Amino acid sequence: MSSFFLSDGRPLYLTKEDYLDLVVERKGCFICGRSNEDFDFNNEHVIPDWILRDLKIHHRSISKSDERLKYYSTHKIPCCERCNSLLGEKVEKPISELLRKTPEDFSRLINEKSNFELLYCWLANIAYKSVHSDLYTKVDNPKFEINNLGELHNWSNMHHLNVLCRIFFTETDIDTNAFGTVRIFFFPDENDEFSPEGFDFVTFFEASAVFLRFRRIGLIAVFNDGGACGGIFDDNFIVPPGGLKEPIRSIDCREVLAEMATINLFLKERPSYRSETDPISIKSITKVSFPESRPEVEYDPSNPEDRFVRNQLFQSAFSHIKPHLPLEKQRLLEDGRLSFLKEIGYVRSS
Ligand SMILES: [Zn+2]
């Protein structure tokens, strides 16, 4: 299948090759692929501006692997003006209204497929922007033979996330079984000791996984697993009869994310995704094909390379709190044995 262009030249569907050329290589708009030489561009916040304003967290910083800090207020990527305003109108505005609801109202509304799809697109959008920003993160250290952090990534693996993050523009439907794992958590309070401003955000782009907290609502998504990670997580972690001992916190969600990311990176066989566009109605749908066998994980705890990958995810999930942990817990974290889920009452089945 080739890319599908509208009469004004904007692509509805971008093949992986065209995505790599127009969006990654030539740094066109991450939504429509057009060049900043031909159209006006402005900057789009990676963490949406309405969240920064609601929670007053412009001053917070995100750490990148080059160890330089980027403040949320200036953590932005170029986007063409047309797509930026479309994103505001079609995604950010309705999502901001949805996430400001009470957990009870949110639970009810998210059962509607259009709202669920909107939420999925929004999370994919933030996860994608977060990794796309690496193309603009310069590396000055001559020790590394790269110009920007983006050169470290395998961008072919980001194509599916890019397809999802632009569905508000392409008006693509997602087949009901083509969603990945999505988990929604409700916290008892608007903040907790690990998330004092009511906000938390982690993304593991290699595993296509993201966790975002806004006040009492916590959202986890894995975008390319066809739901396998959620199922395997539930087989491994059991909530005892009578429920958990303690309410869930941000830190627990980070652990759930690290577990799911590990599962995703070690899935034996992966689902494959494709988009189909009807040339008459110009309507696209994203579909999935599942492997014939039941999803299985090929993680071997006795293999140091496997353990290293898992440990990296956990270290990264907990790095912000490591200096505040007692030494004993810091050591458990270094060994990959620290578990907050266990503390609140989850029982590991394997
Ligand atoms: Zn655009």
Side-chain angles (χ1 to χ4, degrees):
M1 186 176 169
S2 53
S3 296
F4 197 90
F5 292 87
L6 289 169
S7 54
D8 65 1
R10 289 176 299 150
L12 271 190
Y13 174 71
L14 272 179
T15 59
K16 190 181 277 188
E17 291 68 30
D18 284 343
Y19 157 73
L20 292 173
D21 180 35
L22 297 174
V23 178
V24 180
E25 193 61 38
R26 300 195 208 187
K27 293 188 178 159
C29 170
F30 73 101
I31 302 294
C32 73
R34 298 187 306 182
S35 161
N36 64 359
E37 287 170 13
D38 304 326
F39 296 91
D40 289 335
F41 272 49
N42 53 21
N43 288 319
E44 158 70 8
H45 281 92
V46 172
I47 306 294
D49 195 38
W50 66 267
I51 290 188
L52 307 185
R53 281 186 274 114
D54 271 25
L55 303 179
K56 300 183 178 58
I57 52 169
H58 288 85
H59 62 282
R60 271 190 46 175
S61 57
I62 192 159
S63 53
K64 287 279 177 182
S65 42
D66 67 345
E67 294 179 358
R68 278 186 305 183
L69 295 180
K70 274 193 174 182
Y71 294 98
Y72 281 176
S73 55
T74 54
H75 191 27
K76 297 177 181 178
I77 57 170
C79 178
C80 87
E81 282 183 7
R82 190 162 163 180
C83 290
N84 203 340
S85 42
L86 203 64
L87 178 63
E89 178 196 324
K90 287 183 125 182
V91 182
E92 295 298 346
K93 190 170 179 291
I95 275 290
S96 66
E97 287 162 6
L98 196 61
L99 283 174
R100 286 175 184 139
K101 303 270 182 211
T102 61
E104 294 73 23
D105 286 345
F106 180 85
S107 302
R108 184 171 45 79
L109 290 164
I110 209 64
N111 282 327
E112 293 170 23
K113 194 191 175 209
S114 59
N115 284 334
F116 187 80
E117 203 166 277
L118 180 71
L119 181 79
Y120 196 63
C121 169
W122 181 70
L123 287 169
N125 201 280
I126 299 179
Y128 183 78
K129 286 187 293 187
S130 184
V131 65
H132 191 83
S133 71
D134 284 353
L135 288 171
Y136 300 93
T137 306
K138 288 201 169 65
V139 178
D140 297 326
N141 193 332
K143 174 170 92 171
F144 304 107
E145 291 174 349
I146 52 169
N147 298 311
N148 63 65
L149 278 184
E151 290 177 36
L152 297 173
H153 305 324
N154 179 349
W155 289 94
S156 288
N157 291 346
M158 309 300 168
H159 178 237
H160 180 59
L161 195 59
N162 182 262
V163 167
L164 295 177
C165 95
R166 56 201 293 280
I167 59 172
F168 73 92
F169 166 75
T170 58
E171 297 185 356
T172 298
D173 280 331
I174 301 178
D175 217 4
T176 313
N177 63 0
F179 288 98
T181 295
V182 176
R183 287 294 154 95
I184 298 171
F185 299 89
F186 297 114
F187 305 105
D189 298 302
E190 290 203 351
N191 49 51
D192 60 46
E193 60 170 313
F194 298 113
S195 184
E197 287 148 328
F199 181 75
D200 204 355
F201 174 69
V202 195
T203 178
F204 295 129
F205 52 82
E206 312 91 333
S208 205
V210 65
F211 161 58
L212 185 143
R213 172 181 184 159
F214 179 75
R215 295 195 168 126
R216 289 188 59 201
I217 300 171
L219 306 162
I220 283 181
V222 182
F223 298 101
N224 63 354
D225 69 327
C229 296
I232 294 173
F233 177 86
D234 290 341
D235 290 342
N236 293 348
F237 288 87
I238 297 160
V239 177
L244 295 172
K245 283 192 293 188
E246 302 285 343
I248 200 150
R249 306 154 295 181
S250 273
I251 198 72
D252 307 311
C253 291
R254 281 178 171 245
E255 185 171 335
V256 172
L257 184 77
E259 286 290 353
M260 286 192 183
T262 309
I263 294 167
N264 199 22
L265 291 178
F266 287 93
L267 274 184
K268 194 171 171 187
E269 288 182 277
R270 310 200 57 78
S272 62
Y273 290 87
R274 67 189 184 283
S275 291
E276 293 172 3
T277 304
D278 182 321
I280 311 290
S281 65
I282 324 179
K283 194 81 192 150
S284 301
I285 182 159
T286 293
K287 294 187 171 178
V288 64
S289 304
F290 293 100
E292 280 180 17
S293 56
R294 200 171 175 270
E296 264 182 81
V297 178
E298 274 187 317
Y299 176 77
D300 176 3
S302 65
N303 180 337
E305 283 175 24
D306 288 10
R307 266 206 325 271
F308 176 79
V309 172
R310 184 178 188 277
N311 273 8
Q312 287 291 101
L313 293 167
F314 278 72
Q315 299 277 348
S316 171
F318 298 146
S319 61
H320 67 309
I321 56 154
K322 191 181 174 191
H324 311 292
L325 293 173
L327 271 180
E328 181 200 344
K329 284 194 173 176
Q330 290 193 22
R331 241 169 254 135
L332 286 175
L333 174 57
E334 282 155 17
D335 291 349
R337 290 185 295 130
L338 182 64
S339 174
F340 294 93
L341 291 176
K342 204 166 111 189
E343 282 180 9
I344 63 167
Y346 272 94
V347 178
R348 201 174 174 113
S349 66
S350 54

